[in-house]
Amino acid sequence: MRLGIDIGGTKTAAVAIGDDGALSGEVRMPTGFGAEAVVETALRTVERMTMIEGVEASAISSIGIGIPGTVDAATGRVTHAVNLGLEGLDLGPRLADRLGVEVRVENDVKAAALGAHHLLGMADGVGAHSMAYLNLGTGLAAGIVIGGRLLRGGHGAAGEIGHVPVDPSGVTCTCGQRGCLETVASGSAVARMWPTTDPEPARALFAAAAAGDGRATDARDRFLAGVAAAVRLLVLATDVDEVVIGGGLSALGDRLGDGTRRILNRWADESAFLASLDLPSRVRVIPPGFPAAAVGAALVGESPWPKS
């Protein structure tokens, strides 16, 4: 049994994967804040999973963890994760010492990319897709899988397209640059463009646009154009077969996928070059409820995905 744990800012999710690649168990619980609390959260998650599966910890062949922030995948050290209060935590080695099982750690978006890649392989029976996972959450980032391997880059920054400036006159990004892609295509961008008391601003924005509100329609289309720009950037940079959209905003489902394709089709009408790439056909939205980061973490735990 391979165990994958997705440690998020507020909640932790875990899945077990059997030899056949199918999910055999799932656990969710709150995430603690700070180094000791995060370690204890992971340990409680493993304990809960073994109880559900009715096995001893020794039955776990590997454990992988996906976690937000800056991660050294080679050592299992989380060098920086501000939302969890972590700074220089040797998460992998500490858990391995407590559990007696090797534990590997990866950035959560990169882990989710592996999870989405696994989902495509299970659905299509083809495991060697080249694929980009576009994570639309509070921010924007991507994970890229080519030839079955996770692309990390020379310094681990591959896929950080949210901080590619696209509008020199745009707002200042949290990274310090101006007009980054994240400032127009993310949850924080939607909340800024469409202030609301609704706990799900994107849902409120799309509902208002569907009801005919002109301001909402403009804001929705600016957001969708940003998502389309992210798809275009990923394909032009890596020529992946598919771009799978995930993250919290993927809950918009067809409204997000169809809207992004509409923008891409419009651009294709204006550019024979873009038309030749058939970008709309490469876009998928991940199925609701699929625990991509936890599944990918299980795959991270199974194998030390080589740097490429």
Side-chain angles (χ1 to χ4, degrees), residues 86-233:
L86 303 183
E87 197 78 36
L89 172 64
D90 291 319
L91 182 59
R94 285 190 58 176
L95 291 175
D97 286 345
R98 295 282 296 273
L99 296 168
V101 180
E102 186 171 6
V103 179
R104 296 193 174 98
V105 185
E106 182 58 88
N107 168 267
D108 59 342
V109 174
K110 289 182 171 61
L114 292 176
H117 181 265
H118 176 80
L119 177 65
L120 291 182
M122 292 291 288
D124 302 342
V126 179
H129 278 285
S130 64
M131 184 217 72
Y133 177 80
L134 178 58
N135 189 79
L136 300 180
T138 302
L140 181 154
I144 301 163
V145 180
I146 296 178
R149 293 185 176 184
L150 183 63
L151 180 67
R152 294 191 179 91
H155 301 86
E160 291 291 346
I161 64 168
H163 299 298
V164 174
V166 294
D167 182 5
S169 61
V171 301
T172 300
C173 180
T174 55
C175 75
Q177 300 184 99
R178 182 174 292 277
C180 289
L181 191 54
E182 184 173 292
T183 66
V184 293
S186 66
S188 59
V190 169
R192 188 190 71 254
M193 292 189 290
W194 190 252
T196 176
T197 58
D198 193 299
E200 298 182 39
R203 180 185 63 182
L205 171 62
F206 274 69
D213 187 310
R215 287 179 51 251
T217 299
D218 289 344
R220 179 200 63 190
D221 287 353
R222 286 199 302 273
F223 164 71
L224 289 172
V227 177
V231 171
R232 178 179 59 187
L233 176 59

Side-chain angles (χ1 to χ4, degrees), residues 64-88:
I65 293 177
I67 192 167
T70 306
V71 175
D72 185 337
T75 65
R77 182 177 178 82
V78 183
T79 58
H80 184 68
V82 63
N83 291 338
L84 289 167
L86 303 183
E87 197 78 36

